[in-house]
Amino acid sequence: MHIAKKNYTYSNTNFQILLSKGKGQILYFSIYSIIFLSISCKKTDSIGPDSYFKSDGSPDRKVTGDIRDSVYFYSETAYLWYKNLPKAEIFNPLKYNSPEEVISAVRSFSEKGPTGVVRDKWSFVMNKNEWNAIASGNSKDFGAFYRFSSDGNLYVRQVFAKSSAGVQGITRGWKVVSVAGLIPSNDNNFITQFSKALENNNVEFEFQKPDGSKQKVTLSETDYKTNTIQSAKVFDEGAKKIGYFCFTDFLGDDTAAGLEATFNDFKTKGVNELVIDLRYNGGGYVSLAQQLCNLIAPVSANGKAMFTYQYNDKLKSISRTTNFNTSNKLNLTRLIVITTKNSASASELLINSLKPHMEVKIIGSASNGKPVGFPVIPVLSYVVAPVAFKTVNSAGEADYYEGFKPDYPEADDLTKNFGDPDEKCLKVSLEYLKTGKVIVNSAKNARVEAANSMEIWNNKLPKTFDGMFDNNPEIGKSIKKLMGK
């Protein structure tokens, strides 16, 4: 999913986006929802001065043949907080060195949260080839991803089967002893050097396995298809048949069929309780989020609102509501979701959409908090993606910028693989489904507190990129028609 190395600035925080050369780390922009628009352009990298018109046929304003001006032109119409933007002649997009700098400046005009910090950390501009590779669900990296545990050690958090790491047998639960000669530590110097090491084509790691043995492995950049559904299992607890799977992305050409196959298998095995592990799922296609909602939701939700897109008043004609068309394969009345701060976008849409219609319990730590979305607009060699809408569930609930808090906090247990019943988050999930309660003690509280303290360092590790795409072609046509009005 990586195409190139770039540095971007989001809000007031600088961090490195590792795309093609971000070996071992996919960059998932924590996007809540994205609309991919097929909009034609002239043979310049921008919208020309006669591309869009006022109702009287005159040009809305002069737009130069420069991508920087186009970024602002689209933002003037589509940005959720466009009323905060200054006039183009005051903003002067051409004073910025790049389109990325323009969209960064646009973000500074978004709504502010209660602490005075602007909401928008997500609007972006990107080379179209880079974006197309990310949106395809194909990856080119090492295929292993990392996270600091509550005790400060660096572990493999996740591996894709067909990647270099997966083919060599590396799994979640392996501790990083060294990487390119670097010893992991919770400090800025290590994270900077670690990020640089992941940019190489080949990197030597030394791991410690759960059995205590050590192994040196050289990881290489390879092209591979991600397996988004992992560790699907059924736990037999007498009358309760508990289905579990880890879902890594709402992306991928085979994911829709994979979800259907997983739920059909669960149905055949009599599953009547469900745990979905979304702890690192940053989002994906809207269509896949809708599909999963319909696979889970009870019959009583059928025909009722799943969620509503709310655009700004210029684009209110394309605001719309998506309704449930539930398949009710498992006859569920409740759902357990495992989350961390990496759970965002479509993961949060799933939670928010189902909450009014069934019991949804969250295990782990608070989710990311991204209730807004984007039109991703092709402009020849770029895509432009200003935040354009928020989503609201049938109970009118939105604006969860602080994320969804867990009902039962638990530390991310990086020492165990997905689907291991002794992995602490899954263990709590199974405990609740079997007994209706969760035991809380001082050891658990201390573990959760220690894990939370590590988030400052986990947030500095190379980020992962994902998004949620609504590819309804009519939306693209509508926004094109409304541009400049």
Side-chain angles (χ1 to χ4, degrees):
M1 216 180 278
H2 307 301
I3 310 302
K5 294 180 289 185
K6 295 231 181 240
N7 286 320
Y8 290 84
T9 301
Y10 291 96
S11 189
N12 296 319
T13 303
N14 291 318
F15 61 86
Q16 188 176 50
I17 291 181
L18 299 175
L19 295 176
S20 175
K21 294 295 185 179
K23 309 305 183 296
Q25 296 287 336
I26 300 175
L27 181 83
Y28 288 33
F29 269 113
S30 302
I31 297 173
Y32 182 78
S33 211
I34 296 177
I35 300 178
F36 189 81
L37 306 181
S38 297
I39 298 179
S40 62
C41 300
K42 293 188 171 185
K43 292 184 178 180
T44 65
D45 274 352
S46 74
I47 300 303
D50 57 350
S51 296
Y52 296 103
F53 301 87
K54 294 180 180 179
S55 57
D56 64 0
S58 63
D60 179 63
R61 71 170 175 85
K62 183 178 180 180
V63 182
T64 67
D66 191 299
I67 184 62
R68 293 170 295 174
D69 204 9
S70 293
V71 170
Y72 201 66
F73 184 58
Y74 280 112
S75 299
E76 287 177 302
T77 294
Y79 198 47
L80 187 62
W81 301 285
Y82 79 93
K83 292 181 180 179
N84 295 344
L85 294 175
K87 293 290 186 180
E89 56 269 25
I90 296 173
F91 181 90
N92 187 12
L94 300 185
K95 75 181 180 183
Y96 295 93
N97 293 323
S98 68
E100 290 86 359
E101 287 188 12
V102 173
I103 202 68
S104 179
V106 167
R107 289 196 298 269
S108 70
F109 291 96
S110 72
E111 173 186 275
K112 292 183 179 180
T115 62
V117 177
V118 293
R119 297 286 199 193
D120 185 10
K121 301 184 290 289
W122 313 294
S123 295
F124 70 96
V125 177
M126 185 181 290
N127 178 276
K128 188 189 293 185
N129 290 333
E130 296 173 8
W131 173 254
N132 289 341
I134 290 168
S136 72
N138 295 317
S139 292
K140 187 176 183 180
D141 50 58
F142 296 154
F145 313 95
Y146 311 92
R147 183 173 171 85
F148 288 110
S149 64
S150 58
D151 61 6
N153 287 308
L154 186 66
Y155 281 85
V156 175
R157 75 173 202 189
Q158 183 177 0
V159 176
F160 287 103
K162 296 181 180 180
S163 68
S164 176
V167 169
Q168 295 187 73
I170 297 169
T171 66
R172 172 183 167 90
W174 287 27
K175 184 170 71 172
V176 179
V177 177
S178 67
V179 52
L182 301 168
I183 306 301
S185 60
N186 313 132
D187 60 63
N188 290 321
N189 181 62
F190 167 74
I191 290 174
T192 299
Q193 296 304 315
F194 179 56
S195 299
K196 290 181 179 178
L198 295 177
E199 297 181 44
N200 296 317
N201 292 324
N202 301 282
V203 175
E204 183 178 83
F205 283 78
E206 184 176 9
F207 296 104
Q208 179 176 304
K209 299 180 183 180
D211 65 6
S213 64
K214 294 182 179 180
Q215 180 176 337
K216 289 186 177 180
V217 178
T218 297
L219 296 182
S220 302
E221 177 188 67
T222 59
D223 293 297
Y224 64 93
K225 178 74 73 174
T226 58
N227 52 313
T228 58
I229 300 170
Q230 300 182 1
S231 302
K233 293 185 177 181
V234 176
F235 298 94
D236 195 336
E237 300 292 340
K240 294 185 183 297
K241 302 291 189 297
I242 303 171
Y244 165 89
F245 68 98
C246 175
F247 193 34
T248 67
D249 302 283
F250 289 83
L251 284 173
D253 298 335
D254 303 324
T255 300
L259 286 172
E260 290 290 339
T262 299
F263 276 76
N264 286 337
D265 181 60
F266 284 169
K267 182 177 181 179
T268 298
K269 293 176 179 176
V271 166
N272 51 24
E273 301 278 11
L274 184 63
V275 179
I276 301 181
D277 197 333
L278 300 176
R279 73 184 78 193
Y280 309 129
N281 190 316
Y285 291 111
V286 169
S287 59
L288 291 175
Q290 292 174 227
Q291 178 191 8
L292 188 51
C293 280
N294 283 322
L295 287 166
I296 295 168
V299 172
S300 58
N302 203 40
K304 296 179 180 178
M306 185 182 292
F307 64 90
T308 297
Y309 293 95
Q310 288 188 355
Y311 288 82
N312 68 37
D313 56 0
K314 285 186 178 183
L315 303 179
K316 62 183 178 181
S317 63
I318 60 174
S319 294
R320 68 199 191 280
T321 297
T322 296
N323 295 325
F324 282 98
N325 182 21
T326 180
S327 60
N328 192 41
K329 287 184 181 290
L330 306 181
N331 196 28
L332 301 170
T333 60
R334 60 183 177 177
L335 171 69
I336 305 295
V337 181
I338 299 173
T339 66
T340 67
K341 198 66 175 177
N342 296 108
S343 308
S345 305
S347 295
E348 293 173 307
L349 176 63
L350 179 83
I351 293 167
N352 201 45
S353 298
L354 289 172
K355 279 177 62 179
H357 303 283
M358 64 191 303
E359 177 186 316
V360 179
K361 295 294 184 184
I362 300 174
I363 310 295
S365 53
S367 65
N368 197 285
K370 291 179 172 58
V372 292
F374 312 73
V376 173
I377 306 166
V379 184
L380 286 184
S381 62
Y382 288 88
V383 293
V384 181
V387 165
F389 63 86
K390 66 179 181 179
T391 59
V392 185
N393 71 9
S394 61
E397 296 166 332
D399 297 338
Y400 41 87
Y401 289 100
E402 302 306 313
F404 291 107
K405 294 181 179 180
D407 297 283
Y408 301 105
E410 183 52 273
D412 185 7
D413 185 0
L414 292 156
T415 67
K416 303 288 193 304
N417 208 346
F418 298 123
D420 186 329
D422 289 327
E423 189 279 317
K424 289 182 172 58
C425 288
L426 179 53
K427 188 173 184 177
V428 169
S429 302
L430 298 175
E431 178 185 347
Y432 177 78
L433 291 174
K434 288 186 288 185
T435 68
K437 59 184 179 180
V438 172
I439 297 174
V440 178
N441 53 42
S442 58
K444 177 181 288 188
N445 291 338
R447 186 168 61 240
V448 169
E449 184 176 346
N452 289 339
S453 71
M454 282 295 112
E455 283 306 304
I456 187 174
W457 302 111
N458 283 322
N459 288 337
K460 292 183 179 183
L461 288 172
K463 305 298 180 183
T464 49
F465 186 115
D466 208 348
M468 183 162 58
F469 314 98
D470 182 347
N471 57 350
N472 183 339
E474 296 305 312
I475 301 301
K477 294 176 184 178
S478 297
I479 289 184
K480 180 179 178 181
K481 183 177 179 180
L482 291 166
M483 288 294 295
K485 291 186 178 181

